Amino acid sequence: MSSNPQQSNIGKTAPNPGSDENFIVERIYKAVMEQRLAPNTKLSEARLCETFGVGRMRVRRALLLLSSQGLIKLQSNRGAYVACPDKSEATDVFAARMLIEPPLVRQLAQSSGDIDLTVLIDHIALEDAAREKNERTEIIRLSGEFHTKLAQATGNKFIFRMMRELVTRTSLIVGLFGSSQNASCPDDEHSKILQAIKSQNPELAEQLLISHLNHIQSGLDMDSRHEPQDDLATILGSD
């Protein structure tokens, strides 16, 4: 068996008995990013084994990886649950993003002539296509992913890892406290941020990013909660 079959398996519509734990991690991550898997949803080992057609040890390794990324919580004698951030954590997540992302886009704008922005340009095209087709789950996933692409463009793998975790946490927060109207980033704000970067305008890029994060946070209803789902096979077994 290949040591890294993840790339060839992602996107298949049926569970793959040959998938390793990375495939399971990415499938759960994607479901969270698309807000198909709600906070506090129980991830039963037995149901995951059945869904992915794998043994318990492989599922447990995947759950440990997800736990190390902060995506799930492992509770003694209760099992694994999708992480469920509270109001305080939500505030901390947005505060952390405010500390990291504005200077990140400022740096990109200052050095845009020396970096490859293709990954961001291509990503905006994917967002536009998804909006044109009204593919809601794809719009939600791509909206969050744009911010990890910004980190990727810096070439700093540690910033990328931090942003991936923060974006995932944000998706959980929006899934918990958001509505269908604000589940994704507002239209064309990403395009404006990218244009400011391409135009080498660091002040504008930073200002747009701050406004963008405030826009997302202000759309949350911190007194509402979405109920966890139960049908893991339907949520995780297909795209």
Side-chain angles (χ1 to χ4, degrees), residues 200-214:
Q200 297 184 307
N201 190 333
E203 289 78 15
L204 180 59
E206 186 174 50
Q207 177 187 343
L208 288 170
L209 196 286
I210 291 171
S211 176
H212 181 57
L213 290 178
N214 282 330

Side-chain angles (χ1 to χ4, degrees), residues 25 181 188-189 204:
V25 168
Q181 285 72 40
D188 73 21
E189 290 190 5
L204 180 59

